[in-house]
Amino acid sequence: DRLDKFKDLTLVSFSIDRHKVRNTRELHSLFDKMRLASAAGLKVGANVQLDPFIVKHLYEMIKELFCHCHRVYLLQPKPTKLLPDAGIKTRLQAASFLYENLYADESLLMKLGLSETCGRGEKMVSVDYCGGVSCCSFDKSFASLTKARDLVEIIDKHYPFPKTTQCPFL
């Protein structure tokens, strides 16, 4: 009943991690919400924080998510710890060939040796739960977002984004 308030958004991403989704029932409840958003005409995405269980079932999880989502973004736990599965690099590369809209967190790509830099301020914009805008979730906010359309103006005004903190991944 409140989806009309999101008409300006181009994508709504749902966060999935072991703290928010603790069991199969909660996961299916999240899938129901994704279906509702999709039925209302919104593109749906999922931000998935990787953990040993998800890594073990990576293909199954990605396949299921793409039944409900337009885009899946895989995130490494922060502070950085390389997940205890040496085969994740190969599985991520293989999955990226199967799913066009599968993305991996820049810091995860760096840790796996697939990227030399995160390209902060060029490829990524971070918006926190209060609407604070920065180029990286580790940076201080330099602008505040009150509605989705504000993001275009903020990018036009502040690009390239200033680096304000030392990256813990470098």
Side-chain angles (χ1 to χ4, degrees):
D1 61 337
R2 291 186 252 153
L3 288 173
D4 63 318
K5 298 199 184 298
F6 300 109
K7 64 182 181 289
D8 292 339
L9 300 181
T10 57
L11 179 79
V12 174
S13 287
F14 291 83
S15 295
I16 300 173
D17 62 48
R18 297 305 256 170
H19 302 287
K20 295 177 185 145
V21 180
R22 296 175 302 247
N23 55 50
T24 304
R25 183 182 52 77
E26 289 178 348
L27 183 61
H28 287 287
S29 175
L30 186 67
F31 290 157
D32 288 341
K33 291 175 180 129
M34 290 175 170
R35 277 191 289 276
L36 284 172
S38 184
L42 297 170
K43 277 190 179 176
V44 174
N47 296 337
V48 181
Q49 185 177 44
L50 297 175
D51 64 29
F53 178 82
I54 290 175
V55 169
K56 183 177 179 182
H57 302 282
L58 189 64
Y59 290 138
E60 296 91 347
M61 178 64 107
I62 290 170
K63 182 179 178 183
E64 182 68 25
L65 284 169
F66 273 108
C67 292
H68 307 285
C69 300
H70 172 75
R71 181 206 43 79
V72 174
Y73 193 73
L74 303 174
L75 300 150
Q76 170 173 286
K78 295 174 179 137
T80 182
K81 291 181 184 156
L82 192 56
L83 295 163
D85 183 339
I88 188 174
K89 179 177 179 178
T90 305
R91 288 197 267 156
L92 277 176
Q93 287 175 316
S96 69
F97 288 116
L98 296 173
Y99 299 98
E100 180 181 352
N101 291 322
L102 175 67
Y103 302 97
D105 178 75
E106 295 283 348
S107 60
L108 176 61
L109 296 176
M110 286 170 39
K111 279 293 179 188
L112 295 174
L114 299 171
S115 174
E116 291 182 23
T117 178
C118 71
R120 53 189 311 199
E122 297 172 9
K123 302 177 190 174
M124 181 173 21
V125 176
S126 177
V127 180
D128 67 23
Y129 63 94
C130 294
V133 180
S134 62
C135 69
C136 171
S137 60
F138 293 108
D139 280 341
K140 296 175 193 167
S141 298
F142 56 80
S144 183
L145 185 69
T146 56
K147 56 185 182 285
R149 283 194 182 153
D150 292 347
L151 190 56
V152 173
E153 184 178 321
I154 289 169
I155 291 171
D156 285 344
K157 183 177 179 182
H158 294 282
Y159 184 84
F161 298 121
K163 180 178 179 176
T164 59
T165 59
Q166 178 64 36
C167 182
F169 296 106
L170 300 176

